[in-house]
Amino acid sequence: MGGLARRATADPLYRLVAYALEAAHGRPPAAVWSAPYAFHLGSPALVAAADWPVAAAAAPRTDGLVRLSSLAHPADSCDLPLTLTGPLPATPAWAARPYALLRALARAGYGRGGTDLHVQGSLTPAAGLATAEPADCAVALAVADVHTPAGEEPDRAHLARLLAGALPDGDDALRRAVLFARAGSALLLGPAPDPRHVAFDPPASGSRLVLLAVRAGPAVPDPAADLARAVARARGAGALSAWAPGPRPGRSVLVLLPEARRATVRAAVAADFRDRGRPVPRFLNIAVAGAARREE
């Protein structure tokens, strides 16, 4: 995997995480995995993946040490002893979740000797898509991969169960989208152990899926009201539907709109906010993507 950091044809994000792990910890990664951000489609049981990834680079150790880094937290890298039970050691806030996951993976037989790990996302939390679930899956897959026999892929169903047990505060439906999604499809989750894929490909029907996120800060005293107004303007300009990407209210919505109305919708929302002296919302195009994968 050392060549990935210097491969001109590789995706810049994957080159970055490979290089960052090597720069932070002095050796190249043994595996780099990407995991897509995921979202709900207006129902807790219907989810899909977006074409924006989180990446994790991992290298195994043999001295029982965990070394964690992220370019999103450049001053908060940390070296920690890997303990399988007992209280968590003191960690920077961002590292507590990956450390808890590494501990659960080690108890399951993945990485008991320790791990060097670097994690990086392509979006910030301000975009409004859940960040924890794709990061959890990217870490689990990268660490499991380096402890899985060559030529075999980590057992995703087993990792899904491990993630649910280790991080019960996470959104299991989103994790399943990250692990099992298909491009141009949504996952319909139910009592059966295997999710069912159903067609969800907006471009195939002449539509576009866009994430609309209002901005926060001193100039935005009521983001919820701004979001409601942005949705109303989008609908008035021709948007077909809008819904929250997760189960909790936030500063963003997913908007489905006719391809022919895309520029009109964006212009209508932007003009309304500018006319009122408000920061213009962000618009992010979303393609319905496939599941997490190993980056070669």
Side-chain angles (χ1 to χ4, degrees), residues 38-44 47 128 130 133 169-174 243-250:
F39 55 90
H40 289 266
L41 278 81
S43 165
V47 289
E133 287 76 13
D169 60 324
D171 187 320
D172 192 54
L174 292 183
W243 65 91
R248 301 181 185 89

Side-chain angles (χ1 to χ4, degrees), residues 88 96-108 136 140 158-170 172 175:
L88 295 178
R97 191 177 186 93
Y99 181 85
L101 178 53
L102 288 173
R103 171 188 267 190
L105 288 163
R107 288 197 296 266
D136 296 342
H158 174 62
L159 292 178
R161 293 189 295 271
L162 187 150
L163 285 162
L167 302 169
D169 60 324
D172 192 54
R175 282 194 292 244

Side-chain angles (χ1 to χ4, degrees), residues 30-181:
V32 173
W33 276 76
S34 65
Y37 292 87
F39 55 90
H40 289 266
L41 278 81
S43 165
L46 194 62
V47 289
D51 62 331
W52 295 89
V54 173
R61 302 182 62 84
T62 58
D63 58 1
L65 191 66
V66 167
R67 301 194 296 182
L68 305 175
S69 57
S70 171
L71 288 178
H73 307 277
D76 287 327
S77 298
C78 56
D79 295 4
L80 304 167
L82 179 59
T83 59
L84 302 188
T85 59
L88 295 178
T91 66
W94 81 269
R97 191 177 186 93
Y99 181 85
L101 178 53
L102 288 173
R103 171 188 267 190
L105 288 163
R107 288 197 296 266
Y110 302 113
R112 290 194 173 187
T115 301
D116 288 341
L117 180 71
H118 187 88
V119 185
Q120 186 64 35
S122 54
L123 300 176
T124 68
L129 294 179
T131 58
E133 287 76 13
D136 296 342
C137 292
V139 169
L141 286 161
V143 174
D145 186 19
V146 300
H147 297 282
T148 298
E152 297 181 18
E153 185 174 287
D155 184 336
R156 295 183 185 223
H158 174 62
L159 292 178
R161 293 189 295 271
L162 187 150
L163 285 162
L167 302 169
D169 60 324
D171 187 320
D172 192 54
L174 292 183
R175 282 194 292 244
R176 287 163 72 85
V178 174
L179 292 170
F180 303 110

